[in-house]
């Protein structure tokens, strides 16, 4: 029976890895299989299986609103010319390609991850780096590796929110604080050095010297870049909460790194650049010429205003002392259904006025006016957003439905998640701590989303941790960090980023390049946890 419980997850992996099916079809098939196993193996009747599925689908609404709002704002800025203004603002900061890679690849990419997520950062940062004369292959590598540290609290904390919802612990402040604080500590200890690792890969693989030496010369600025994000992220997690730890942390990082690059703080005297394009390898180059589109000229201040507004609104609505948070979490700002289909463990609530996605939509509407967008542009923004989120919506609905079916306990108080945890617990606590982040990595790799990885595996990780008597917050943190690291080799993100710079069919090469930093980040994260548990 324990092995049967693994079948829906195994089916998801097989369909994605070997049949190259999209996440939505894989999760639909896995949900159907989970229903069958629940009915025939665990003797759960049809009504509770369907009720738990509907409960999971309803829970996806929170995440869907966040995704919709974040992508709508991003598309609004693309069509208004705001994104171009932001990009142009980075171009004259510093001529050194190592510094450009750190500011745009790490700080800016982290900010876009925090504000939008879901593959947007790499697809935006890679073309920007190419416009600054980075080899397209190198640009994609940088963007994908850098789009990792901010992912745990990215898209306004969506991965964490989805995990807490899946565990039924969204109102457990103590667990949420322990979970998110441990996650932030891991990223502080490891993510601080990610910018240095990225520059080392750039100079070793794409530099004319084929050496780590040029990277070591920028070591002080690289560490400064890492700290400019990871320290604020940790402090904001402690003081204000996880939902905008990446958002405000990355905003601080951009300000600090741009200012430092402008004044030459910690910047090496000798400017480093790639060798001439004539000497670039063929597989570094784009297969197509990029097209220049016409946009309305937007000032840099107007371009950044929407993001600044989102950050301010989030801070105002999250500080308990201002009492707005309490108001937005009460009737009439909450839709609630208790005891769904008569099951007392299925209580659903939708805090529509408190969701970050609601603020994203409102700021987008304001941006239409601020940037003086025309009706066709506004229509295009909504059309593009609906198209982008429709596939994600189906995957989220059936992903969460699958999780709830696998969580549902039969008359003997046993669920599929319990069976899976029982089997994994036989590995022992020491081995499981090493395995745990790789489960998160695998979830992000096959599903294309850290959020889906958290939805799929949070209950499994939590249950296994309980059986092995490992602090559950620690294991959930490793799952969350692993899901973030998995972004480096996430197939969906790689395909999207490669397409934006015209290097399609080189996805396998990107995975090979990014696998080394992935392993380094993962093993160091495990080491940090081991040191914390020994302390």
């Amino acid at each position: 029976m324990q092995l049967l419980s693994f079948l829906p997850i195994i089916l998801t992996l097989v369909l994605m890895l070997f049949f190259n099916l999209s996440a939505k079809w894989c999760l639909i098939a896995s949900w159907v299989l989970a229903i069958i196993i629940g009915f025939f193996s665990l003797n759960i009747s049809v009504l509770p299986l369907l009720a738990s599925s509907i409960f999971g689908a309803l829970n996806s609404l929170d995440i869907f609103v966040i995704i919709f709002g974040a992508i709508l704002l991003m598309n609004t800025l693309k069509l208004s010319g705001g994104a171009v203004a932001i990009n142009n603002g980075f171009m004259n900061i510093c001529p050194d390609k190592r510094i450009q890679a750190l500011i745009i690849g790490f700080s800016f990419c982290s900010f876009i991850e925090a504000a939008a997520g879901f593959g947007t950062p790499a697809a935006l940062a890679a073309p920007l780096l190419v416009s600054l004369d980075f080899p397209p292959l190198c640009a994609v590598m940088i963007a994908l590796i850098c789009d990792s540290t901010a992912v745990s609290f990215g898209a306004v904390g969506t991965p964490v929110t989805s995990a807490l919802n899946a565990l039924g612990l969204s109102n457990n402040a103590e667990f949420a604080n322990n979970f998110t604080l441990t996650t932030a500590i891991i990223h502080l200890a490891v993510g601080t050095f990610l910018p240095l690792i990225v520059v080392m890969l750039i100079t070793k693989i794409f530099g004319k010297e084929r050496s780590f030496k040029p990277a070591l010369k920028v070591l002080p600025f690289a560490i400064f870049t890492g700290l400019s994000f990871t320290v604020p992220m940790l402090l904001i997690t402690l003081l204000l909460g996880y939902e905008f730890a990446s958002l405000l942390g990355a905003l601080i990082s951009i300000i600090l790194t741009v200012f430092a690059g402008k004044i030459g703080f910690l910047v090496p005297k000798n400017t480093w650049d790639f060798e001439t394009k004539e000497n670039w390898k063929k597989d570094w180059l784009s297969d197509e010429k990029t097209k220049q589109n016409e946009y309305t000229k937007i000032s840099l201040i107007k371009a950044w205003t929407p993001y600044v507004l989102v950050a301010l609104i989030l801070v105002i609505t999250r500080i308990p002392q201002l009492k707005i948070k309490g108001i937005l979490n009460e009737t009439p700002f909450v839709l609630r259904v208790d005891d769904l289909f008569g099951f007392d463990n299925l209580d659903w609530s939708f805090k529509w006025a408190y969701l970050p996605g609601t603020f994203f939509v409102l700021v987008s509407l304001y941006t239409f006016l601020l940037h003086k967008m025309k009706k066709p542009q506004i229509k295009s923004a909504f059309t593009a957003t609906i198209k982008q989120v429709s596939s994600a919506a189906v995957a989220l609905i059936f992903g969460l439905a699958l999780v709830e079916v696998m969580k549902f306990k039969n008359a003997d108080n046993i669920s599929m998640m319990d069976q899976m945890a029982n089997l994994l617990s036989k590995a022992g606590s020491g081995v499981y701590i090493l395995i745990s982040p790789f489960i998160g990595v695998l979830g992000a790799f096959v599903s294309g989303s850290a959020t889906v990885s958290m939805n799929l595996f949070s209950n499994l990780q939590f249950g296994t941790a309980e059986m092995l008597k490992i602090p559950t917050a620690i294991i959930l943190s490793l799952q969350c960090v692993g899901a973030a690291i998995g972004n480096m080799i996430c197939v969906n993100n790689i395909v999207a980023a490669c397409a934006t710079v015209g290097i399609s069919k080189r996805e396998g090469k990107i995975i090979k390049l990014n696998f080394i930093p992935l392993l380094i980040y993962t093993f160091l994260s495990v080491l940090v946890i081991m040191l914390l548990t020994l302390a």
Side-chain angles (χ1 to χ4, degrees), residues 184-442:
I185 289 171
I186 295 172
H187 284 309
L188 172 65
V190 185
T192 297
F193 300 95
L194 186 65
L196 177 62
I197 293 171
V198 170
V199 179
M200 291 175 72
L201 288 171
I202 294 170
T203 59
K204 179 66 176 177
I205 299 170
F206 298 95
K208 53 189 172 185
E209 307 90 345
R210 301 293 192 273
S211 169
F212 292 129
K213 287 183 180 179
L216 297 177
K217 290 180 181 178
V218 81
L219 185 149
F221 193 94
I223 299 299
F224 169 75
T225 301
L227 290 171
S228 72
F229 173 66
T230 57
V231 171
M233 180 177 67
L234 176 62
L235 294 176
I236 292 163
T237 302
L238 273 170
L239 300 174
L240 297 176
Y242 71 88
E243 288 175 300
F244 41 98
S246 284
L247 185 70
L248 296 182
L251 190 58
I252 292 168
S253 179
I254 289 173
I255 294 169
L256 291 176
T257 54
V258 167
F259 182 71
K262 271 282 190 184
I263 66 171
F265 177 68
L266 300 178
V267 176
K269 292 182 180 179
N270 296 326
T271 300
W272 185 88
D273 202 346
F274 298 100
E275 56 187 327
T276 57
K277 291 184 180 180
E278 291 75 18
N279 296 321
W280 288 1
K281 292 183 180 179
K282 188 178 180 180
D283 64 352
W284 297 3
L285 299 168
S286 174
D287 297 325
E288 56 193 42
K289 293 182 179 180
T290 55
K291 297 178 181 178
Q292 296 294 326
N293 296 314
E294 292 293 327
Y295 294 97
T296 304
K297 287 187 178 180
I298 302 291
S299 71
L300 197 56
I301 293 174
K302 278 190 176 181
W304 275 102
T305 295
Y307 285 129
V308 174
L309 281 174
V310 167
L312 286 173
I313 293 170
L314 284 171
V315 171
I316 291 168
T317 56
R318 265 60 183 174
I319 297 175
Q321 290 80 359
L322 297 178
K323 297 183 180 180
I324 297 175
K325 178 179 180 179
I327 294 171
L328 296 180
N329 280 281
E330 295 175 356
T331 308
F333 299 105
V334 179
L335 299 177
R336 192 184 307 277
V337 178
D338 293 329
D339 302 335
L340 190 68
F341 292 102
F343 296 97
D344 55 12
N345 59 333
L346 300 181
D347 297 330
W348 175 75
S349 64
F350 178 57
K351 301 174 182 178
W352 61 270
Y354 186 70
L355 286 175
T358 303
F359 306 139
F360 278 121
V361 173
L362 292 174
V363 171
S364 298
L365 297 177
Y366 172 70
T367 306
F368 295 157
L369 300 174
L370 179 68
H371 292 182
K372 298 178 180 178
M373 294 176 67
K374 297 176 182 178
K375 287 184 180 180
Q377 290 176 306
I378 296 171
K379 182 180 179 182
S380 295
F382 276 104
T383 303
T385 302
I386 292 169
K387 185 178 179 181
Q388 284 174 264
V389 302
S390 58
S391 181
V394 175
L396 281 170
I397 287 170
F398 283 94
L400 281 167
L402 169 65
V403 168
E404 291 301 326
V405 168
M406 296 183 74
K407 277 172 56 182
F408 199 91
K409 296 181 184 291
N410 64 8
D412 297 322
N413 204 34
I414 297 172
S415 69
M416 276 182 266
M417 285 291 182
D418 293 333
Q419 296 287 353
M420 294 169 71
N422 277 325
L423 192 59
L424 284 172
S425 66
K426 294 176 183 178
S429 59
V431 175
Y432 192 74
I433 286 176
L434 180 61
I435 293 172
S436 179
F438 284 101
I439 294 174
V441 169
L442 185 65

Side-chain angles (χ1 to χ4, degrees), residues 109-129:
C109 209
S110 294
F111 180 79
I112 298 302
E113 174 59 43
F118 301 96
T120 306
L124 277 178
L128 175 54
L129 289 168

